């Protein structure tokens, strides 16, 4: 009898400790960016990117907050999808769009901490976002240059339809030399900022402000961004759909 009681006590303590551990490393909702980024459940390879990408500064610049309905376009492996999910919280929604959704990506975002993530699969010129002007923020990070000009034109129109009046469209990308247009999109993986501004304002948006947190004046903008990863000169643009 004493042995049974001792075993039950140990089991009870074990369950309590397990519950406490899950409470500590579970989702961190809201505006506590430091807690969100420090969450030990984030993959180490993503946490290693934070110093170069500066996600707290970026998302504060765009004003993303709890309860927002947002979209992460060309989401890749989900670096920003995961962060946005925790920032917008249980009352928010994150549409995470990729042309093809990998099995491991789908598996990751089926986990309970990401219950507010909705996966969107398909070509970017037919981007399947809600067309009801209900989104607060749409973001494309380091991938605008990967799309063909005609694809970008169609995508920008769909993003305009998805955003509510006053909603923000954020584009971060590797800067090419001024006046280069689309010349080095595929070779250096860069794009001329003026080209981006021209295309996006052509879809009806207004450029409201530009962030300087990822600029690198020492980058000659003549080499592939993969030569010295994380050190490229990057522009941070905030466009808005006027009210």
């Amino acid at each position: 009898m004493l042995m049974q009681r001792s075993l039950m006590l140990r089991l009870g303590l074990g369950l309590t400790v397990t519950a406490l551990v899950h409470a500590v490393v579970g989702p961190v909702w809201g505006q506590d960016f430091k807690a969100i980024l420090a969450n030990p459940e984030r993959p180490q390879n993503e946490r290693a990117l934070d110093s170069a990408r500066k996600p707290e500064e970026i998302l504060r610049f765009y004003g993303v907050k709890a309860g927002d309905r947002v979209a992460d376009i060309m989401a890749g492996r989900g670096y920003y999808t995961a962060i946005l999910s925790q920032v917008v919280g249980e009352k928010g929604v994150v549409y995470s769009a990729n042309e093809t959704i990998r099995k491991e990506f789908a598996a990751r975002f089926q986990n309970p901490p990401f219950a507010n993530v909705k996966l969107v699969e398909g070509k970017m010129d037919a981007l399947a976002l809600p067309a009801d002007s209900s989104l607060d923020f749409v973001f494309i990070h380091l991938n605008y240059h990967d799309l063909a000009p005609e694809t970008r034109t169609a995508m920008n129109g769909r993003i305009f339809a998805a955003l509510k009046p006053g909603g923000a469209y954020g584009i971060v990308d590797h800067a090419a030399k001024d006046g280069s247009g689309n010349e080095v999109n595929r070779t250096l993986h860069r794009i001329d900022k003026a080209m981006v501004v021209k295309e996006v304002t052509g879809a009806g948006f207004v450029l409201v402000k530009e962030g300087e947190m990822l600029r690198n004046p020492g980058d000659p903008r003549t080499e592939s961004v993969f030569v010295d990863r994380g050190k490229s000169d990057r522009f941070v643009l905030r466009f808005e759909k006027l009210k």
Side-chain angles (χ1 to χ4, degrees):
M1 180 68 71
L2 287 174
M3 289 180 65
Q4 286 181 332
R5 287 180 179 175
S6 176
L7 178 60
M8 290 177 67
L9 180 60
R10 288 199 299 271
L11 287 171
L13 287 172
L15 289 171
T16 301
V17 170
T18 300
L20 287 171
V21 168
H22 281 292
V24 170
V25 300
V28 182
W29 305 114
Q31 292 295 98
D32 191 347
F33 288 100
K34 287 182 172 54
I36 290 170
L37 297 175
N39 189 331
E41 290 194 350
R42 289 185 70 213
Q44 182 55 41
N45 64 319
E46 291 188 3
R47 295 170 69 181
L49 296 171
D50 292 347
S51 60
R53 294 187 173 183
K54 302 182 181 181
E56 179 176 356
E57 291 184 54
I58 291 291
L59 295 183
R60 286 192 186 280
F61 172 78
Y62 287 121
V64 184
K65 61 187 184 302
D68 278 354
R69 295 168 58 83
V70 306
D72 183 17
I73 308 303
M74 300 282 283
R77 297 183 184 276
Y79 173 89
Y80 263 111
T81 294
I83 296 172
L84 285 166
S85 169
Q86 305 308 295
V87 174
V88 303
E90 294 174 290
K91 294 183 179 180
V93 178
V94 181
Y95 293 91
S96 182
N98 274 314
E99 293 194 338
T100 302
I101 295 177
R102 297 187 179 97
K103 289 181 180 179
E104 63 271 20
F105 183 91
R108 177 185 187 184
F109 290 104
Q110 284 174 354
N111 288 319
F114 301 117
N116 59 355
V117 174
K118 298 181 183 296
L119 303 186
V120 177
E121 184 175 29
K123 298 295 185 182
M124 292 299 111
D125 56 1
L127 185 60
L129 294 179
D132 57 357
S133 301
S134 63
L135 301 191
D136 298 282
F137 175 58
V138 176
F139 190 42
I140 181 165
H141 180 257
L142 303 181
N143 288 113
Y144 191 88
H145 71 270
D146 285 322
L147 300 170
E150 60 273 15
T151 298
R152 300 194 302 249
T153 298
M155 178 186 72
N156 290 337
R158 287 176 173 267
I159 291 172
F160 189 86
L163 280 166
K164 62 177 58 172
Y169 180 15
I171 299 178
V172 176
D173 216 330
H174 306 284
K177 278 190 168 295
D178 296 346
S180 61
N182 290 303
E183 292 175 8
V184 297
N185 294 21
R186 294 186 178 276
T187 54
L188 304 185
H189 301 277
R190 299 173 180 267
I191 189 168
D192 183 2
K193 183 182 77 173
M195 174 65 68
V196 177
V197 173
K198 179 181 179 181
E199 291 180 352
V200 178
T201 55
F205 290 96
V206 174
L207 177 62
V208 174
K209 59 180 177 177
E210 181 173 355
E212 299 294 322
M213 67 285 289
L214 299 180
R215 299 314 304 246
N216 177 12
D219 176 12
R221 295 180 284 170
T222 55
E223 293 185 321
S224 167
V225 299
F226 300 120
V227 171
D228 197 1
R229 284 177 178 268
K231 302 288 182 65
S232 66
D233 182 31
R234 286 155 286 169
F235 52 78
V236 179
L237 305 177
R238 179 192 176 99
F239 299 92
E240 289 184 8
K241 177 179 178 179
L242 293 183
K243 293 182 180 179

